[in-house]
Amino acid sequence: MGNHRRSADVLVRPASGSHRAVPGPRSAHSGRPAPVAPRATAVPTGVGGFPAVPAPRAAADAVAGCPTDVLVADALVTDVDLVVAPDLDADLDADLDADLDADLDAAPVTAGRRAAGRPVGRRRPSLLLAALVAGAVGAGVLGLHGTPDAAAEPTSVLDAQMELATGDEAVEVMPMASITEAEAQARLQEVAASRAERAAAEAAAAEAAAEAARPRYVLPVAGARFTSGYGGRWGTFHYGIDLAAPMRTPEVSVADGVVVRAGAASGFGLAVYILHENGDVTVYGHMDEILVEPGQYVEAGETIALLGNRGQSTGPHLHFEVHEGGMNGTRIDPVPWLAERGVEL
């Protein structure tokens, strides 16, 4: 369907104080003046009852700016393009022509000027909708233009932070709570002393446990064979006992004590004398090698020499004596003395 151009005269109210008659529109059939129509308020409809295509925005602006004594809104000639689906019947064209002719006949006119379009008594909702859409689009465009500035703001904050971080390095920011270096050193010393005390206490406890667990009296040679006892032998008196064992078998102190003598001895070849806490002295003879020296403290079970066959000896063995009361004390039988201390031969 092609374009349909229609024009209509605009009726203008006479100026204030004027009584001239307003010429009416002429009939399309008789050419006679038609009666002046009241102010038009109807909204023309298009195909199928839908609103006709609105006039361009320029026409709407012209309508909004007209003075109040203008009886019609449309003052411009507009082209109205009505588009219908190609599959509609040709009768729709005839109906549309009739509707447009009726709308144009009902519109008021003014002398010398013809107006086209539709009579409007008030603004259409479609025009308001178009204005709102246009405003939203404009706001969106302005917002997009403002985006780079907003995006640049975090960069500015980051630059400021970097400037603060890389500023004057000579300025040292102290923490809110602090102590002096001397106080910190004192605290370190306290901790070190506490740890040392704890370590000493632990070591003392371990030593005490070991002390309690170790034996107080032992045999002078472990696994030895008893070969001769205390008493007369071969026309003489034997003042000790003999314990036979292989050469260089370890010999140990029978109890805690201090080495009084260590070295060559008449009849023993080599001998060691140890003084114990109760004042008694134990004697070890015929060893192959001495491993202690005078003044050395030894514990029960500590090795003092290696068994041998030196001096007046008939084979590798240990000659063991007990001098009750000291070096020059009474030489007593070692077997009962050891038994009293829990050591059995």
Side-chain angles (χ1 to χ4, degrees):
M1 181 173 61
N3 295 335
H4 297 272
R5 183 180 302 273
R6 297 290 186 271
S7 63
D9 294 332
V10 179
L11 179 60
V12 182
R13 185 187 298 273
S16 177
S18 174
H19 301 281
R20 295 180 59 185
V22 179
R26 296 183 178 274
S27 173
H29 301 284
S30 63
R32 296 178 182 177
V36 178
R39 188 172 186 177
T41 59
V43 178
T45 57
V47 177
F50 292 94
V53 178
R57 186 177 183 83
D61 293 339
V63 171
C66 288
T68 57
D69 57 349
V70 180
L71 299 181
V72 293
D74 290 322
L76 300 177
V77 177
T78 60
D79 292 335
V80 180
D81 295 335
L82 299 178
V83 181
V84 297
D87 57 350
L88 295 179
D89 193 85
D91 293 338
L92 295 177
D93 294 340
D95 295 339
L96 181 59
D97 291 337
D99 292 339
L100 291 177
D101 290 339
D103 292 339
L104 292 176
D105 290 340
V109 297
T110 57
R113 298 187 62 186
R114 301 185 63 84
R118 58 203 176 279
V120 179
R122 61 169 180 253
R123 295 184 180 179
R124 293 184 174 183
S126 59
L127 294 178
L128 295 177
L129 179 60
L132 292 176
V133 172
V137 172
V141 172
L142 293 178
L144 291 176
H145 285 300
T147 301
D149 295 336
E153 182 178 355
T155 303
S156 301
V157 174
L158 179 60
D159 292 341
Q161 293 176 349
M162 292 298 294
E163 182 177 357
L164 290 176
T166 58
D168 188 4
E169 296 180 356
V171 178
E172 182 179 2
V173 179
M174 299 298 293
M176 295 298 294
S178 63
I179 61 174
T180 64
E181 185 175 352
E183 292 174 336
Q185 290 290 348
R187 179 57 180 159
L188 289 175
Q189 292 176 359
E190 291 177 0
V191 173
S194 176
R195 290 178 178 176
E197 292 177 359
R198 184 168 61 252
E202 292 175 354
E207 184 178 356
E211 178 69 14
R214 75 178 181 87
R216 292 294 182 269
Y217 297 92
V218 296
L219 283 171
V221 178
R225 180 171 53 90
F226 185 86
T227 57
S228 181
Y230 178 85
R233 188 188 61 175
W234 305 331
T236 62
F237 197 89
H238 189 233
Y239 290 100
I241 59 175
D242 292 340
L243 300 173
M247 285 288 294
R248 300 184 67 82
T249 298
E251 297 176 356
V252 301
S253 175
V254 295
D256 297 346
V258 177
V259 177
V260 178
R261 294 180 181 176
S266 175
F268 294 138
L270 296 175
V272 173
Y273 294 74
I274 298 176
L275 176 65
H276 301 285
E277 294 178 355
N278 64 348
D280 295 344
V281 173
T282 55
V283 180
Y284 309 82
H286 302 300
M287 68 271 299
D288 186 65
E289 181 181 357
I290 297 175
L291 301 179
V292 294
E293 58 186 13
Q296 181 177 342
Y297 178 83
V298 293
E299 293 180 349
E302 184 174 350
T303 302
I304 60 174
L306 299 178
L307 187 143
N309 192 27
R310 293 179 181 270
Q312 297 176 3
S313 173
T314 59
H317 73 283
L318 166 65
H319 177 82
F320 178 70
E321 295 182 3
V322 175
H323 295 188
E324 188 178 26
M327 290 286 295
N328 297 321
T330 304
R331 292 179 286 184
I332 62 175
D333 188 355
V335 175
W337 187 89
L338 290 173
E340 290 176 1
R341 290 161 178 78
V343 179
E344 298 293 337
L345 289 173

